[in-house]
Amino acid sequence: MSQHTLSANRIIAGYDKKTVLHDLQVDIPDHKVSVIIGSNACGKSTLLKTFSRLLLPSDGEVILDGKKIDQIPSKQLAQTLGLLPQSPIAPEGIRVSDLVARGRFPYQGFMGGMKSEDYEAVNDALDAMGITDLANREVDELSGGQRQRVWIAMALAQQTDILFLDEPTTFLDVTHQIEILDLLRELNQKNGTTIVMVLHDINLSARYSDHMIALKDGQLIAEGDPCDIVDESLISTVFNLDCEVINDPVSNTPLIIPKGKYQRKPVSL
């Protein structure tokens, strides 16, 4: 994997004249797993879209390897970074292998057509996600966890050094969430892929990230190693949640224990 620098330089961005991100300065560490956390509508997805050039900031700039991202040719950009959005929809009746092969579009010439290296990349992606046996199945027939593996395989087939994922574990049960996050962590450690993802589960975010980015109302509240920044004050500020933060005995990362209104009363013996 190549070395890359990627940063949002005091960006302001939003939709329909509504500002979502306010003067945001964020640097993405290379070859690490970064997780963006924050409450609903705080700007997490907007930040991913701005980083991947799906959304242009009204002010400020995203800089990739010293160049403004809007000045990089689209094909070159698509060979460097990829984005898996929230809840993507597959064309009806498409086979798994054909959907994964769509990740190879940035490498195909004007006449199109798959080359030997394209088929190899597709097969490698299917194998990495453990879905080679599903290659000839229709995506519509698969379970939620299997479909999510297929979408990630498509992103892997694109063979980018930087991969953005917007809520890759949404609608999955806890077993499939762990499986997906384990696979992404393995991809990072094995290939050096820089991964940036949005997650809603704070404890899984702390467990799987090297670098955490905490947003509130489109502004950066804190960033850094979760072991350094996650405490009761941060969770209260970002989520308005009263909690206790302890050490996770399994992962040795911060574990958030919410202090809900209702507590089970001790049983009298």
Side-chain angles (χ1 to χ4, degrees):
M1 285 286 173
S2 302
Q3 298 286 331
H4 295 285
T5 58
L6 178 62
S7 62
N9 185 17
R10 311 200 75 86
I11 59 172
I12 298 174
Y15 313 90
D16 300 325
K17 298 182 180 180
K18 180 181 179 182
T19 300
V20 178
L21 302 177
H22 303 269
D23 198 31
L24 197 63
Q25 178 77 39
V26 178
D27 298 314
I28 301 299
D30 200 24
H31 304 310
K32 302 291 185 180
V33 175
S34 296
V35 174
I36 305 171
I37 66 167
S39 59
N40 291 338
C42 72
K44 301 185 297 295
S45 296
T46 302
L47 181 56
L48 283 193
K49 291 177 181 177
T50 307
F51 266 129
S52 58
R53 209 173 71 179
L54 288 183
L55 179 67
L56 295 178
S58 59
D59 199 4
E61 54 198 14
V62 175
I63 304 296
L64 174 63
D65 298 334
K67 298 179 181 178
K68 294 181 180 180
I69 201 169
D70 59 340
Q71 297 178 353
I72 300 175
S74 296
K75 198 167 187 178
Q76 178 183 340
L77 185 64
Q79 293 176 4
T80 304
L81 59 84
L83 169 67
L84 181 62
Q86 288 185 41
S87 306
I89 300 175
E92 186 176 353
I94 192 171
R95 295 187 313 160
V96 167
S97 58
D98 293 332
L99 182 59
V100 175
R102 293 193 172 199
R104 298 303 300 168
F105 283 177
Y107 300 92
Q108 295 172 7
F110 177 73
M111 299 299 292
M114 295 274 286
K115 304 180 183 66
S116 59
E117 57 264 33
D118 297 317
Y119 287 110
E120 183 178 356
V122 169
N123 290 333
D124 287 346
L126 291 169
D127 181 64
M129 287 293 105
I131 53 173
T132 301
D133 59 328
L134 303 177
N136 293 317
R137 295 272 301 277
E138 291 187 4
V139 176
D140 296 339
E141 301 173 351
L142 305 181
S143 69
Q146 289 172 325
R147 283 197 300 271
Q148 196 68 344
R149 285 173 180 251
V150 174
W151 284 111
I152 295 175
M154 185 189 73
L156 296 187
Q158 195 173 333
Q159 292 185 326
T160 61
D161 293 340
I162 304 170
L163 180 59
F164 296 107
L165 303 107
D166 196 351
E167 300 184 26
T169 59
T170 299
F171 306 126
L172 300 182
D173 61 45
V174 64
T175 300
H176 286 105
Q177 288 182 45
I178 297 299
E179 287 179 355
I180 292 296
L181 293 173
D182 279 346
L183 287 168
L184 291 171
R185 171 52 84 178
E186 182 179 353
L187 172 69
N188 163 258
Q189 293 181 342
K190 182 178 179 181
N191 297 342
T193 305
T194 298
I195 294 176
V196 185
M197 55 184 165
V198 170
L199 293 178
H200 275 297
D201 189 302
I202 311 170
N203 289 324
L204 290 180
S205 299
R207 175 175 289 195
Y208 283 93
S209 65
D210 303 302
H211 188 78
M212 183 177 285
I213 300 165
L215 301 182
K216 182 179 178 64
D217 297 331
Q219 296 181 318
L220 179 66
I221 301 301
E223 67 173 324
D225 188 313
C227 294
D228 295 332
I229 69 170
V230 175
D231 57 19
E232 290 85 352
S233 176
L234 178 73
I235 301 305
S236 177
T237 299
V238 173
F239 295 100
N240 193 29
L241 177 67
D242 188 18
C243 72
E244 182 176 347
V245 177
I246 64 173
N247 185 67
D248 187 322
V250 175
S251 62
N252 200 32
T253 55
L255 180 66
I256 291 85
I257 310 295
K259 295 180 180 178
K261 180 178 180 181
Y262 298 100
Q263 307 290 339
R264 176 177 291 188
K265 295 180 180 179
V267 178
S268 299
L269 299 178

